[in-house]
């Protein structure tokens, strides 16, 4: 006779940690959306521009990083390209592939956007370097699990 498994109860500490992580994420997204709007960008446009300010990427890779359909990325790149923030160029390793790349103005806007995000910086500044390292290491473990 098979035994029925019951879901383990989540302890109060775990619930509190989950709630706190949710609050941090919600605050970050709210501030990010506000900062993007100040630059006349949607949140998705700002995230894509931020990725491209680090390195040019193929559209398919952008879609993977943003967890969306490639057709959505095409529309976002089109809008950013029309503003002179992004350009398409051939991939030097495979000329059949198009890379999206931030223009100089796109990198400037992405930097300005990053500089305007205070939410994460201010609370983290209250932690010592050692505490920030521990937090970073714990978050890495959670992400890699």
């Amino acid at each position: 006779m098979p035994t029925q498994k019951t879901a383990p109860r989540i302890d109060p500490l775990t619930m509190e940690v989950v709630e706190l992580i949710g609050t941090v994420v919600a605050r970050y997204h709210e501030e990010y959306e506000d900062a993007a709007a100040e630059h006349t960008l949607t949140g998705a446009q700002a995230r894509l521009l931020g990725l491209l300010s680090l390195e040019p990427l193929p559209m398919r890779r952008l879609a993977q990083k943003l967890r969306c359909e490639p057709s959505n990325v095409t529309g976002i790149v089109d809008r950013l390209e029309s503003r002179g923030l992004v350009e398409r160029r051939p991939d030097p390793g495979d000329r059949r592939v198009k890379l999206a790349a931030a223009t100089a103005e796109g990198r400037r806007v992405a930097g300005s956007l990053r500089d305007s995000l205070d939410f994460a910086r201010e609370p983290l500044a209250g932690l010592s370097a050692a505490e920030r390292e521990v937090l970073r290491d714990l978050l890495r473990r959670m992400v890699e699990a």
Side-chain angles (χ1 to χ4, degrees), residues 75-131:
I76 296 168
V77 169
D78 287 346
R79 287 186 285 286
L80 292 173
E81 190 173 35
S82 72
R83 291 184 52 187
L85 301 174
V86 168
E87 64 185 8
R88 288 176 170 95
R89 56 173 83 142
D91 183 339
D94 183 349
R95 299 193 58 81
R96 296 168 298 175
V97 174
K98 289 284 187 200
L99 297 177
T103 62
E105 177 64 7
R107 288 188 299 277
R108 186 197 67 73
V109 169
S112 176
L113 179 67
R114 270 191 301 274
D115 290 345
S116 67
L117 294 172
D118 293 327
F119 169 71
R121 270 192 300 270
E122 289 178 13
L124 288 173
L127 300 177
S128 70
E131 289 171 324

Side-chain angles (χ1 to χ4, degrees), residues 124-136:
L124 288 173
L127 300 177
S128 70
E131 289 171 324
R132 288 192 307 272
E133 287 178 12
V134 167
L135 179 59
R136 180 206 56 208

Side-chain angles (χ1 to χ4, degrees), residues 10 16 34 53 55-56 59 62 65 76 95 100 108 110 140:
I10 298 175
E16 183 179 5
D34 291 346
S53 72
E55 64 178 327
M59 306 287 256
L62 280 168
K65 285 184 171 276
I76 296 168
R95 299 193 58 81
R108 186 197 67 73
R140 280 183 179 167

Side-chain angles (χ1 to χ4, degrees), residues 20 38 44 100-101:
L20 289 168
E38 287 177 18

Side-chain angles (χ1 to χ4, degrees), residues 36-52:
E38 287 177 18
H39 291 83
T40 324
L41 297 168
T42 65
Q45 289 171 337
R47 284 186 290 281
L48 188 141
L49 187 59
L51 289 170
L52 294 179

